Amino acid sequence: MTQSKITHNRQSRRQVVLIGYASVLVALVAALLDPRTSQPLLSVFFNLVRTAAVVVSLIHLFRLLNPKLMGTSDGPDHDLDERQLQTRNQAYVTAYRAMGGVLILLSTAVLLWSAFWSLPRLDIGVVVALIYSAVMLVATLPSAVLAWIEPDPIGE
Amino acid sequence: MNQQTLPTVNLSQTLRQALVGVQYGALVAGCFLMLRTPFMQLDLSVLLVFILGTAIAAVIHTTLALSIGNICQGRLDRLDERERATRDQAFVLAFQILTGVLSVLWFYGMMAGLLGWWLPAASQFWVLLWGLGMLGYGLPTAIAAFKMPSGVNE
C-alpha cells in the first residue's frame, strides 16, 4: 500500500520525469565534453559518467512508460475510460506541439548558423548521443506530460 | 461544422488523400534535392525549386485544413465530440509516426557510422531538421484529412 502511494503521487511522478530527462542531458553533455584520445584518463571518466547516466535514464524513462507503476491515464484505448482517454489524448496533443516547435526552432537555428559559420563535423560518439537523446525524449514525451499534469486521485 | 468564420473548401476524401500524397511527395523530393547539394554551393535554380516545393506544400496544407474545418489547429471549444475525437486520434497517430521516423533515422545513423554508408555533411544537417519540422507541422491535419469521409463541410 505504501509503495503504491509513493508511485501514484504527482510529486513522485514529476521526480521520475526530472531525473529521467536530467540523466539524458548528462549523458549528452558527457559525450560532448569527452576529450577522447587526447586525454585518455579523462576520457575514461567521461565514458563512465555517460554510461551511468544512460542506465539511470533507461530505468526512469522505461518506468515512465509503465502506466501501472506511474498511476497515470495511459495505455491502450480499451484499458481506459472516457475521461482517461481524453486526458491521455490531450497529453499527446501537448507533446506533439512541443516537439514540433522544438524541431522548427532547431532547424532554423542550424540553418542560420550554417549560413555564417561552418558547422563542426561531429564525432560518431556525439552523433549517437544526440540521436539517443532525441529518441528517448520523443518516445516518452506524452507519458512525461501526462505524469506531470495528471492530478492525484481523490482520496490519496 | 462549427467554425463559420473560416472559408470552407469542399473536397472529397479521394481528392484529399491525393493532395496528402502530393504534399509529402513534394517535401521528400525537396529534401532529397537539398541533401545532394552542400549549402554554400547552392545553385539559384535548386533554391527556387526548394522554395517552390515548400510553398506548394504550404498551400496544400492550408487547403486540407480548411476542407476539414481546421479541427487540428482551431479552438477546442468550437469542436463537437466527433470532431474532437477525430482530432485527438490524428495527433496520437501523428506522434507515433514521427517517433517511428526518428527511430528509423537513428538506426540508419548508427549503421551508417559503423558500415560507412552515406551520411549528410554537417552543412546539410539543417535539411533533415527542416524536413522533420515540416513533416511534423502538418501531419495531424494530413492524417485527419486522409481519414475523414467526404461531405464533412456540408
Side-chain angles (χ1 to χ4, degrees):
Chain A
M1 185 63 79
T2 305
Q3 181 64 28
S4 73
K5 274 193 177 176
I6 290 171
T7 54
H8 287 202
N9 179 275
R10 182 160 66 173
Q11 189 178 1
S12 305
R13 291 199 302 262
R14 287 181 173 182
Q15 283 174 3
V16 171
V17 172
L18 285 173
I19 293 171
Y21 284 176
S23 50
V24 168
L25 189 60
V26 166
L28 182 59
V29 168
L32 286 167
L33 296 178
D34 187 348
R36 290 172 185 83
T37 51
S38 60
Q39 293 180 62
L41 280 178
L42 197 56
S43 180
V44 167
F45 169 73
F46 276 109
N47 272 309
L48 285 172
V49 167
R50 187 169 57 179
T51 306
V54 166
V55 168
V56 169
S57 70
L58 283 173
I59 290 170
H60 283 78
L61 295 182
F62 274 103
R63 188 176 170 187
L64 198 58
L65 293 174
N66 188 331
K68 287 191 172 67
L69 278 180
M70 296 300 290
T72 51
S73 304
D74 205 353
D77 289 6
H78 54 79
D79 283 348
L80 305 175
D81 61 34
E82 204 173 302
R83 183 200 68 81
Q84 290 173 322
L85 202 57
Q86 208 167 61
T87 308
R88 188 206 69 180
N89 290 345
Q90 190 53 44
Y92 267 90
V93 173
T94 305
Y96 190 88
R97 286 184 168 152
M99 191 171 66
V102 166
L103 276 175
I104 288 176
L105 278 173
L106 264 179
S107 65
T108 307
V110 170
L111 173 63
L112 289 174
W113 181 281
S114 58
F116 299 104
W117 303 282
S118 57
L119 287 170
R121 184 81 189 172
L122 296 174
D123 181 85
I124 185 66
V126 175
V127 173
V128 169
L130 277 170
I131 293 172
Y132 170 78
S133 305
V135 172
M136 290 308 285
L137 288 174
V138 165
T140 59
L141 197 54
S143 299
V145 169
L146 206 47
W148 193 270
I149 64 174
E150 191 160 10
D152 293 331
I154 296 166
E156 289 196 22
Chain B
M1 289 277 141
N2 303 0
Q3 304 189 57
Q4 298 299 320
T5 53
L6 291 173
T8 55
V9 176
N10 292 318
L11 298 175
S12 68
Q13 185 182 14
T14 309
L15 186 54
R16 278 189 258 120
Q17 289 173 342
L19 285 174
V20 168
V22 170
Q23 178 186 7
Y24 285 103
L27 177 66
V28 170
C31 287
F32 183 71
L33 186 67
M34 293 301 285
L35 282 172
R36 287 173 60 87
T37 313
F39 184 73
M40 296 314 289
Q41 296 170 22
L42 278 178
D43 190 289
L44 185 62
S45 58
V46 170
L47 200 55
L48 282 174
V49 167
F50 176 73
I51 292 170
L52 187 64
T54 304
I56 289 172
V59 167
I60 291 176
H61 167 76
T62 306
T63 306
L64 287 173
L66 291 176
S67 73
I68 57 169
N70 201 31
I71 62 171
C72 292
Q73 308 290 340
R75 283 172 53 173
L76 216 57
D77 55 357
R78 291 187 178 174
L79 303 180
D80 61 35
E81 209 171 294
R82 185 186 60 84
E83 289 165 345
R84 189 170 179 165
T86 304
R87 168 185 170 270
D88 287 349
Q89 284 162 14
F91 270 97
V92 171
L93 185 54
F95 195 92
Q96 290 166 344
I97 289 172
L98 207 50
T99 306
V101 168
L102 280 173
S103 301
V104 166
L105 288 176
W106 169 65
F107 182 74
Y108 179 86
M110 292 274 290
M111 298 307 289
L114 289 169
L115 302 176
W117 295 347
W118 175 85
L119 278 171
S123 61
Q124 296 169 306
F125 190 60
W126 70 271
V127 176
L128 277 179
L129 286 175
W130 179 258
L132 284 171
M134 289 298 104
L135 170 72
Y137 180 73
L139 197 53
T141 297
I143 290 171
F146 198 91
K147 294 173 78 169
M148 284 176 83
S150 303
V152 289
N153 258 348
E154 290 165 9

